Amino acid sequence: MSPTTRGALEMGSAMSLLGSIGYFVLLSGLAPLDVVFWRCCFGLLTLALICTALGLWRRPRARELGLAVLGGVAIVLNWVLLFGAYGRASVAVATAVYNLQPFLLMGLGVVFFGERLSVGRLAWVGLAFVGMVLIVQAKPNAGYVGGDFGLGVAMALGAAALWAVAAVITKRLSGMPAPLIALIQVTVGLLMLAPFADFGHLPQTALGWMPLLVLGAVHTGLMYALMYAGVQRLPTALQGGLSFLYPVVAILVDWLALGHALGTLQWLGAAAILLGAAWLFRGPTGPTSRPA
């Protein structure tokens, strides 16, 4: 299996898992900051087990540690903003807006890595962007959505910018095992948020803890190990293409699990995203998408 194919499988699996995260965030019933804190707790335990099982423990160099910590700050703040956006703009709309990240990521790839993008590739990305616009135009009718729709969209945009920053930092850690990067980052999140976490209103049953365990073990430990491995193996343009799987899965979960029915425009938008992502990945991976 070639590194590109392996990276595509890792990134595609991670994005599909990520599509279900909104359901578990809302199922937990906790404030976004508390959800992120417990996600970091259980994610840290899971990633420690992964690093031990795979023999990935090693002492990072000072530069590596500094970059991993900086990426951790960006990714944890990204989680807080995105989880807050779910209850204001709906999981589907917040996720669609959040997926402006591939455009930001490609722009950063051009600036920092000298990557070149062909006109054809940009055209398919443009189609996916049209799909996201169609999704956002359909106002949410989900029963769990409160007010502040505009604030929710702004929070999702802020989360997208922070994710792009974290991805660029991860790209500079190509010699460091992906699970170890993620472990450092969730440790940063644990230390950042511990002073603000609400320990007075904890889940009282095993069922109440279940969403937090899933968010930590599956959506953090497993998912981030897969995603960061894919980030390190793939050129930025292909990362952007595969990232479009995430909003499609999230929209379906929002509909099937949370009762947020999809309108015609949302179905058209989802189809445009899938088509754009498929052709973006199918296209050539030559000089137009590799670092110069």
Side-chain angles (χ1 to χ4, degrees):
M1 183 183 296
S2 70
T4 299
T5 301
R6 183 176 177 181
L9 289 174
E10 290 166 337
M11 194 73 172
S13 299
M15 292 300 103
S16 297
L17 280 175
L18 195 56
S20 65
I21 196 169
Y23 171 74
F24 289 95
V25 169
L26 295 173
L27 187 63
S28 74
L30 299 181
L33 189 147
D34 293 311
V35 176
V36 175
F37 173 78
W38 291 108
R39 181 185 188 184
C40 289
C41 286
F42 294 122
L44 175 61
L45 295 175
T46 304
L47 288 162
L49 290 174
I50 292 174
C51 288
T52 301
L54 299 180
L56 300 178
W57 289 105
R58 72 171 177 82
R59 185 175 181 177
R61 297 187 297 271
R63 176 182 176 276
E64 290 177 328
L65 181 60
L67 287 173
V69 168
L70 185 60
V73 172
I75 207 70
V76 168
L77 293 176
N78 148 76
W79 291 345
V80 173
L81 287 177
L82 181 61
F83 292 178
Y86 288 153
R88 293 174 172 85
S90 83
V91 170
V93 171
T95 303
V97 174
Y98 181 61
N99 272 268
L100 285 170
Q101 55 181 259
F103 304 104
L104 300 173
L105 192 57
M106 284 192 296
L108 292 174
V110 172
V111 172
F112 290 101
F113 301 113
E115 297 183 359
R116 299 187 299 274
L117 300 174
S118 67
V119 174
R121 227 175 247 285
L122 287 173
W124 289 112
V125 172
L127 176 63
F129 177 75
V130 170
M132 284 191 289
V133 170
L134 290 175
I135 291 170
V136 173
Q137 290 300 314
K139 300 296 183 182
N141 58 3
Y144 63 84
V145 174
D148 298 325
F149 176 74
L151 177 59
V153 170
M155 293 172 74
L157 281 171
L162 288 167
W163 189 93
V165 170
V168 167
I169 292 172
T170 301
K171 188 81 169 179
R172 295 187 178 275
L173 294 169
S174 57
M176 194 172 177
L180 186 57
I181 297 172
L183 184 145
I184 293 172
Q185 293 184 336
V186 296
T187 301
V188 170
L190 195 64
L191 296 174
M192 282 175 57
L193 301 180
F196 308 102
D198 182 3
F199 296 104
H201 298 84
L202 301 178
Q204 299 300 308
T205 65
L207 188 62
W209 282 103
M210 184 271 294
L212 300 174
L213 285 167
V214 172
L215 286 168
V218 178
H219 292 101
T220 306
L222 177 60
M223 188 276 293
Y224 268 85
L226 288 171
M227 185 180 71
Y228 281 177
V231 164
Q232 291 177 339
R233 290 188 176 93
L234 293 175
T236 308
L238 293 187
Q239 295 172 38
L242 288 168
S243 294
F244 287 121
L245 290 174
Y246 167 30
V248 174
V249 174
I251 290 168
L252 291 175
V253 170
D254 198 23
W255 174 40
L256 297 174
L258 297 173
H260 181 195
L262 299 177
T264 302
L265 289 179
Q266 287 178 307
W267 280 116
L268 290 174
I273 290 171
L274 275 178
L275 184 61
W279 278 94
L280 194 66
F281 178 64
R282 182 180 177 182
T285 58
T288 58
S289 60
R290 289 201 303 262

